Amino acid sequence: MSLTRTLIDVRPLRTSPVFRRLLIGRTVSVLGSFMTMVTVMYQVWDMTHSTVWTGAVGLAQALPMVVFGLFAGSWADRGDRRRIYLYATVGQAAVSLLLAVQGFTGHVPVAGVLALVAAQSCCSAVGAPAAGVFVPRLLPKEQVAAGLALQQISGQAMMLAGPALGGILLGWTGIGTCYLIDALSFGLSFYGAFGLPALPPEGEPSRAGLHGVLDGLRFLAGHRAVRGALITDLAATVLSMPTSLFPLVNAERFGGSPRTLGLFLSVLAVGGIAASALSGTITRLGRPGPVMLCGAGLWGAALAAFGLVRDPWAGLALLVLAGAADAVSVISRSTIVQTHTPDALLGRVTAAETIVGQAGPNLGNLRGGVVAGWTSGATALVSGGLLCLFAVLWVGAKTPELRGGSVPEPGADSTPLLKPADVSVPDGS
């Protein structure tokens, strides 16, 4: 196999100028968001010196997504997704500007900072389901997985660069400037989506309110491949999320060095970037179901093995492997969701996928902490990894659609494609 086919598939960047513009805007915006995440945590800690308040930051981010996500998805399946995304982007930029103002003035109480964080999360809950239709509508089906892989590698890279850059700027310029840079980053995100045509749902629009939400949930319950993909993601996160266990395992096994702990937190992203960079083979394979199951199973197995080793270099290698397996699983899961879901339901299904992605890791970290409190960090890691592996095997055994899971051919469902040639590119005026 040639090296070209092994490296990440960049055909979407060549064939779709609008996708290229969207990806650039999304990458810059994600960088700003990770900078803001670090800045908020720093500011809240500086104001309170309380782990309860810093823990509340995560709650302020996750709760609006869980509460409003499905209703936002129903709204996205009734209207023009492009317009909804642009509104949400403007809302996020406005909240970042308010964060910048309070950062420069320093007169807002901590509850006010958390309220702004929650407001920005509400805007994100609206924009995410609308953005979920962009890749399958802009790219032909054989390039959807490649487009998702490009998004994955850009997100992983920003997850490494954003906190580091945010920390540097915090020391040089203060919190207000970091928030202001985040606000400006949404300008590129807005520009990237501005050149899209109107993107109303193709098919019967969603019913309003709770009825539309229930229609989406019925689809999730009845579509075996999509349901299995989301259950697999829950198994990987709820049963084996390791982040909350790293400090304890570092103290139990590796001497408690902060340098080792920092490496534990970063090598997962390194593995994800490496796997995404070498994802050409799996995205061209056209069988996301088996790839997802293997990736999720390998994630659990690697974390279980990490709980058993005592050599720090072996532990780091296993975490790199786990991060790579997770990236492969995420790319494949998103491919399954976006190629098997009719366009008229894609906003609601993307919202459900986003909720799973938000709630799963938080619940997984809670599970790990509780089990470790009863036993030890190593026991929590090993038991969680094995439970994840068994759950993935169960999903594979019960879902033959995933074991054979090829990407549906164009025309196999009722959702027509919007080809790249059908998309107008803005002239910059």
Side-chain angles (χ1 to χ4, degrees):
M1 180 175 295
S2 67
L3 179 62
T4 302
R5 293 186 63 83
T6 301
L7 294 175
I8 190 168
D9 187 353
V10 296
R11 285 179 298 167
L13 296 176
R14 295 198 305 263
T15 61
S16 176
V18 175
F19 174 80
R20 184 168 62 243
R21 194 179 298 242
L22 278 170
L23 183 65
I24 292 171
R26 177 184 182 274
T27 301
V28 174
S29 179
V30 170
L31 175 66
S33 296
F34 276 113
M35 290 173 56
T36 289
M37 179 187 71
V38 171
T39 306
V40 168
M41 294 295 290
Y42 175 83
Q43 183 182 6
V44 170
W45 174 257
D46 187 56
M47 295 170 73
T48 66
H49 293 284
S50 167
T51 55
V52 175
W53 280 110
T54 55
V57 173
L59 184 65
Q61 291 171 328
L63 192 59
M65 191 72 68
V66 173
V67 172
F68 300 116
L70 289 176
F71 290 95
S74 180
W75 181 30
D77 285 338
R78 292 200 310 276
D80 176 8
R81 280 78 170 259
R82 167 190 173 272
R83 187 181 298 273
I84 292 170
Y85 178 79
L86 292 176
Y87 286 155
T89 301
V90 171
Q92 289 178 286
V95 175
S96 288
L97 281 175
L98 291 175
L99 283 168
V101 169
Q102 66 82 31
F104 286 123
T105 61
H107 297 313
V108 176
V110 64
V113 175
L114 294 183
L116 290 173
V117 171
Q120 191 165 65
S121 184
C122 287
C123 295
S124 179
V126 171
V133 308
F134 290 165
V135 171
R137 290 283 289 268
L138 295 176
L139 300 175
K141 288 232 171 153
E142 65 271 14
Q143 293 185 24
V144 168
L148 295 172
L150 288 165
Q151 288 188 349
Q152 175 77 2
I153 193 171
S154 70
Q156 292 276 0
M158 295 307 100
M159 185 170 69
L160 277 178
L165 182 59
I168 292 172
L169 289 176
L170 274 172
W172 284 352
T173 63
I175 59 176
T177 301
C178 289
Y179 290 135
L180 182 60
I181 291 174
D182 185 29
L184 294 175
S185 74
F186 287 111
L188 276 177
S189 183
F190 184 95
Y191 180 61
F194 189 75
L196 294 174
L199 292 174
E202 296 180 332
E204 184 177 353
S206 168
R207 294 191 290 172
L210 185 60
H211 294 295
V213 171
L214 293 176
D215 289 340
L217 293 176
R218 276 191 286 270
F219 171 80
L220 287 174
H223 196 291
R224 293 167 61 88
V226 175
R227 183 184 66 209
L230 296 186
I231 291 174
T232 300
D233 186 48
L234 281 173
T237 53
V238 173
L239 297 178
S240 59
M241 196 67 189
T243 308
S244 65
L245 300 172
F246 284 161
L248 179 58
V249 172
N250 186 43
E252 289 177 344
R253 293 287 183 90
F254 306 113
S257 169
R259 292 189 294 272
T260 309
L261 178 61
L263 287 173
F264 288 166
L265 293 169
S266 62
V267 293
L268 285 171
V270 170
I273 291 173
S276 300
L278 298 174
S279 63
T281 301
I282 63 170
T283 56
R284 289 184 174 94
L285 184 62
R287 295 176 62 83
V291 172
M292 180 196 67
L293 293 173
C294 290
L298 184 57
W299 157 266
L303 291 175
F306 173 68
L308 296 174
V309 300
R310 292 187 175 274
D311 179 71
W313 293 110
L316 290 173
L318 287 167
L319 289 179
V320 170
L321 179 61
D326 181 57
V328 168
S329 180
V330 168
I331 293 169
S332 301
R333 185 200 73 227
S334 297
T335 302
I336 292 167
V337 170
Q338 297 202 1
T339 56
H340 286 76
T341 304
D343 181 82
L345 286 158
L346 193 51
R348 282 162 285 182
V349 174
T350 300
E353 185 183 17
T354 303
I355 291 171
V356 167
Q358 284 278 342
N362 289 327
L363 290 174
N365 282 321
L366 176 62
R367 180 216 67 88
V370 170
V371 174
W374 289 342
T375 57
S376 67
T379 300
L381 273 170
V382 173
S383 62
L386 292 177
L387 283 172
C388 170
L389 179 58
F390 293 149
V392 171
L393 291 173
W394 178 82
V395 171
K398 294 292 185 179
T399 316
E401 293 85 352
L402 290 178
R403 297 198 304 271
S406 59
V407 174
E409 291 296 325
D413 57 37
S414 60
T415 308
L417 288 172
L418 179 65
K419 300 294 186 182
D422 298 328
V423 180
S424 61
V425 180
D427 57 9
S429 59

